[in-house]
């Protein structure tokens, strides 16, 4: 069989076609991102939140009538102020941790690994929710332009997750280049929409009686209460997700890493603040806002309603451009999580809290196992909640503000421990303010969203923390068990090879040569399932067996495994210091469906012999066309 006919060769060609050729470690620096590519990779999640943050605020304020609706811009302003404060504190984190300083690393180093584990668990939940929410919002934006697609939200969302995962499996730089055009196109589209909208709004003026969900907002039931404003504020805090992504991903930037990361963080905050305030102000010019499904049968999002107002209808180029660009950036917003979740997983795996396979980079210089894990978890979440954005949003922002708070506490401990550089007291004060604000916002979100779904996140965090702690304990136990000082088992003093022979053929003869290399006094073992075939096997073995003794084991219950186990156990009982190698010839077919025609005895033997001391199962493969 030639190399090109072998199954692994076909798999390799498909793998290279989909993911590209391997990248050597020496090229790692060339795969890093410039600020222009870093913005779409790390800021798409944060920037895309304007497509649902203002709508989430209005969906709560709508319960309080027009007076409450008019508070929307003040709530948005408070959120913008909060964004600025948190972004400023993360600038300090980036400078202090130029090799990557997310909540997990900062808290682990300055407070302790257990607090770091809590921060890491919170961030992992947030990244999964980021993918699920962004993809669901992307599908919703698409159905705003094409309402007939709404029944297909789940398959559309899962296909979107698969596409972003595939792009990230190809490599960081390629995903950044792929996502740059849609991200910058979205920014141009939104600012163009805002310009047209304000021009038309100023021309027409603010409507005297704004209609909300089919009724006069002046006479809508409800009242403005502090609890209502807090609920609206917590709903709008979804706009803050993704701010930490830049601090987590500092190593992905080209040198000087910290300077480029801070530049991207500043761009992100300014653009988000401008868009969030712009959308909040423009909403006041809309003559009608429909948010409930009963009054909004075509599932128009707030952004699509603003686009229709700004461009004069739903059947023009501007409206469809905003719909497509919004759907595109929301899908690409998941890339922020795909960039940081695998990196965070690798840090936690390195510290023993996750399986070590998550710490291994693939041949494209990405943590491919982490990417696949995130894609699967997000797809399951989307499937469970049927792709409905309204069901996913209440889960959002709880875990991220827990991570924000722990990160601020970690930085406080950092400044108090180092008491450097000059001016550390001012930096400490900034992080103290940040910790107080983030902690307060976290409690507000948890309190106002608890019965809407935040309790699920609280329970999930407890489960993850417990599971990760158990993984850490297991690795620690294995380390102690394998330590040379823990005592070594007595070394075997003799060896015996056993060659399994079902019938005599070329594959068995090839395995016999290997068995004789290991042990000149090897034995051949045949389990008799058919008494009529036994004389033929004995005759052929006498002819081709090269004088190696053939042990015949009877099998009253027609089992291939039990007689071998009994025979091996008998040898070990007779000589506890004996090492045994069980050699199994195994056929390898060139076509996958031919595998169904062959018994996988080697795997069965390995599984059953696993607990036997000093027993090794070795397979000698022979190829079949």
């Amino acid at each position: 069989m030639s190399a090109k006919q072998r199954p692994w060769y076909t798999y390799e060609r498909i793998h290279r076609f989909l993911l590209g050729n391997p990248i050597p470690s020496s090229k790692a620096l060339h795969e890093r991102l410039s600020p222009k590519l870093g913005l779409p990779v790390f800021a798409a999640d944060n920037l895309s939140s304007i497509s649902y943050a203002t709508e989430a605020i209005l969906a709560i304020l709508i319960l309080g009538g027009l007076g409450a609706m008019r508070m929307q811009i003040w709530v948005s302003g408070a959120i913008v102020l909060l964004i600025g404060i948190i972004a400023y504190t993360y600038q300090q984190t980036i400078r202090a941790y130029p090799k990557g300083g997310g909540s997990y690393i900062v808290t682990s180093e300055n407070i302790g690994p257990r607090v770091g584990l809590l921060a890491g668990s919170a961030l992992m939940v947030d990244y999964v929710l980021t993918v699920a929410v962004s993809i669901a919002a992307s599908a919703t934006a698409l159905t705003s332009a094409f309402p007939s697609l709404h029944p297909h939200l789940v398959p559309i969302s899962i296909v979107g997750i698969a596409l972003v995962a595939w792009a990230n499996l190809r490599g960081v730089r390629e995903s950044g280049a792929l996502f740059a055009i849609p991200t910058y196109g979205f920014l141009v589209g939104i600012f163009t929409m805002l310009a047209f909208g304000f021009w038309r709004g100023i021309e027409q003026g603010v409507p005297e009686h704004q209609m909300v969900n089919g009724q006069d907002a002046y006479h809508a039931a409800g009242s403005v209460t502090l609890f209502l404003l807090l609920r609206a504020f917590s709903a709008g805090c979804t706009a803050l997700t993704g701010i930490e992504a830049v601090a987590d991903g500092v190593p992905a930037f080209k040198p000087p890493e910290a300077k480029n990361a801070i530049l991207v963080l500043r761009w992100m905050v300014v653009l988000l603040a401008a868009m969030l305030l712009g959308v909040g102000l423009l909403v006041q010019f809309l003559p009608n806002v429909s948010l409930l499904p009963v009054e909004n049968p075509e599932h128009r999002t707030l952004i699509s309603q603003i686009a229709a107002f700004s461009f004069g209808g739903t059947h023009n180029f501007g409206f469809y451009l905003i719909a497509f660009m919004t759907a595109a950036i929301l899908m690409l917003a998941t890339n922020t999580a795909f960039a940081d979740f695998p990196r965070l997983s690798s840090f936690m795996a390195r510290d023993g809290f996750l399986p070590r396979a998550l710490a291994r980079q693939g041949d494209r210089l990405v943590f491919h196992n982490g990417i696949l894990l995130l894609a699967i978890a997000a797809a399951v979440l989307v499937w469970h909640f049927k792709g409905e954005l309204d069901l996913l949003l209440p889960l959002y922002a709880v875990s991220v503000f827990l991570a924000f708070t722990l990160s601020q506490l970690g930085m406080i401990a950092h400044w108090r421990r180092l008491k450097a550089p000059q001016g550390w007291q001012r930096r400490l004060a900034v992080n103290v303010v940040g910790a107080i604000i983030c902690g307060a916002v976290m409690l507000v979100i948890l309190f106002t969203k608890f019965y809407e779904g935040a309790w699920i996140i609280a329970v999930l965090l407890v489960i993850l923390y417990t599971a990760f702690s158990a993984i850490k304990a297991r690795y620690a136990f294995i380390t102690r068990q394998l330590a040379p000082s823990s005592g070594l088992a007595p070394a075997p003093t003799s060896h015996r090879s056993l060659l399994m022979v079902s019938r005599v053929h070329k594959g068995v003869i090839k395995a016999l040569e290997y068995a004789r290399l290991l042990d000149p006094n090897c034995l051949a073992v045949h389990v008799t399932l058919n008494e009529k075939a036994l004389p033929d096997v004995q005759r052929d073995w006498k002819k081709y067996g090269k004088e190696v003794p053939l042990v015949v084991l009877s099998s009253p219950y027609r089992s291939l495994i039990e007689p071998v186990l009994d025979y091996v156990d008998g040898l070990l009982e007779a000589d506890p210091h004996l090492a045994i190698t069980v050699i199994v010839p195994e056929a390898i077919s060139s076509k996958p469906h031919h595998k169904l025609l062959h018994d996988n005895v080697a795997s069965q033997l390995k599984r059953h012999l696993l607990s036997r001391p000093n027993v090794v199962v070795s397979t000698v493969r022979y190829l079949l066309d």
Side-chain angles (χ1 to χ4, degrees), residues 51 110 141 145 161 179 185 188 206 264 269 345 360 363 373 386 397 452 478 505 579 585 617 620:
S51 62
N110 296 290
I161 292 172
F179 298 162
V188 171
V206 178
V264 168
V269 170
S345 299
R360 187 170 61 249
D363 56 16
L373 176 62
K386 301 177 181 178
E452 297 178 36
I478 292 173
H505 51 70
V617 179
V620 178

Side-chain angles (χ1 to χ4, degrees), residues 2 7 9 11 47 64 143 153 244 291 391 402 415 512 557 600:
S2 66
Y9 182 83
Y11 167 79
L47 296 177
T143 58
L153 279 176
E244 190 187 63
L291 300 177
L391 299 178
L402 173 59
W415 298 125
L512 175 60
Y557 300 102
N600 194 358

Side-chain angles (χ1 to χ4, degrees), residues 21-84:
N21 294 322
I23 301 173
S25 300
S26 59
K27 298 290 185 181
L29 188 62
H30 300 283
E31 291 297 306
R32 294 195 186 182
L33 302 169
S34 64
K36 291 181 181 178
L37 291 182
L39 186 70
V41 169
F42 290 105
D45 171 29
N46 191 252
L47 296 177
S48 66
S49 63
I50 63 108
S51 62
Y52 50 78
T54 304
E55 183 171 346
I57 295 171
L58 289 173
I60 301 299
L61 292 178
I62 216 170
L63 303 174
L66 183 63
M69 291 283 288
R70 287 176 172 172
M71 296 298 294
Q72 174 270 137
I73 190 62
W74 296 104
V75 174
S76 297
I79 292 171
V80 167
L81 179 61
L82 180 61
I83 291 171

Side-chain angles (χ1 to χ4, degrees), residues 397-417:
V398 180
S399 56
V400 74
F401 270 93
L402 173 59
F404 285 168
T405 305
L406 293 176
S407 179
Q408 302 298 326
L409 293 174
M411 288 304 297
I412 291 172
H414 171 80
W415 298 125
R416 292 186 62 186
R417 177 170 55 86

Side-chain angles (χ1 to χ4, degrees), residues 594-610:
H594 287 171
K595 293 180 181 179
L596 300 174
L597 304 178
H598 305 285
D599 288 333
N600 194 358
V601 180
S603 297
Q604 296 177 50
L605 279 174
K606 285 177 183 177
R607 185 170 64 252
H608 286 88
L609 291 171
L610 191 63

Side-chain angles (χ1 to χ4, degrees), residues 190-433:
I190 291 296
F191 282 113
T192 302
M193 179 190 74
L194 292 176
F196 274 82
F198 280 119
W199 175 76
R200 186 173 181 182
I202 292 171
E203 188 179 60
Q204 295 182 1
V206 178
E208 292 185 5
H209 294 274
Q210 186 182 46
M211 300 299 293
V212 178
N213 293 321
Q215 58 179 322
D216 190 335
Y218 278 105
H219 301 98
S223 59
V224 181
T225 63
L226 177 61
F227 182 70
L228 186 72
L229 291 175
L230 289 177
R231 283 185 64 192
F233 176 78
S234 65
C237 281
T238 54
L240 280 92
T241 57
I243 284 185
E244 190 187 63
V246 180
D248 278 335
V250 174
F253 288 93
K254 291 182 176 180
E257 293 88 346
K259 180 180 178 180
N260 287 330
I262 289 174
L263 185 60
V264 168
L265 181 63
R266 290 174 177 174
W267 287 354
M268 180 177 73
V269 170
V270 171
L271 290 169
L272 177 63
M275 290 189 292
L276 192 62
L277 292 176
V279 169
L281 289 170
L282 189 53
V283 167
Q284 300 178 85
F285 292 101
L286 268 63
N288 180 50
V289 179
S290 300
L291 300 177
L292 299 178
V294 175
E295 303 293 339
N296 189 11
E298 294 186 332
H299 306 282
R300 304 284 189 198
T301 63
L302 179 63
I303 289 294
S304 66
Q305 293 178 52
I306 293 175
F309 171 77
S310 300
F311 297 115
T314 60
H315 298 289
N316 55 65
F317 176 77
F319 174 81
Y320 285 111
L321 178 65
I322 293 297
F324 278 115
M325 286 298 180
T326 302
I329 195 175
L330 282 166
M331 185 174 75
L332 303 184
T334 62
N335 195 61
T336 301
F338 275 106
D340 277 346
F341 179 94
R343 195 178 301 275
L344 171 64
S345 299
S346 72
F347 292 151
M348 296 178 69
R350 177 198 62 192
D351 294 339
F353 290 113
L354 284 173
R356 288 170 181 162
L358 292 170
R360 187 170 61 249
Q361 274 189 319
D363 56 16
R364 294 289 297 178
L365 294 178
V366 294
F367 299 100
H368 56 286
N369 290 325
I371 292 172
L372 294 174
L373 176 62
L374 175 59
I376 293 170
V380 169
L381 199 62
V382 167
W383 172 80
H384 179 74
F385 287 98
K386 301 177 181 178
E388 294 290 348
L389 183 61
D390 293 341
L391 299 178
L392 289 164
L393 277 177
L395 308 178
Y396 214 20
V398 180
S399 56
V400 74
F401 270 93
L402 173 59
F404 285 168
T405 305
L406 293 176
S407 179
Q408 302 298 326
L409 293 174
M411 288 304 297
I412 291 172
H414 171 80
W415 298 125
R416 292 186 62 186
R417 177 170 55 86
L418 292 184
K419 296 184 178 180
Q422 187 177 3
W424 66 270
Q425 296 93 338
R426 178 180 59 82
R427 293 179 171 86
L428 173 64
V430 168
N431 286 119
V432 168
V433 173

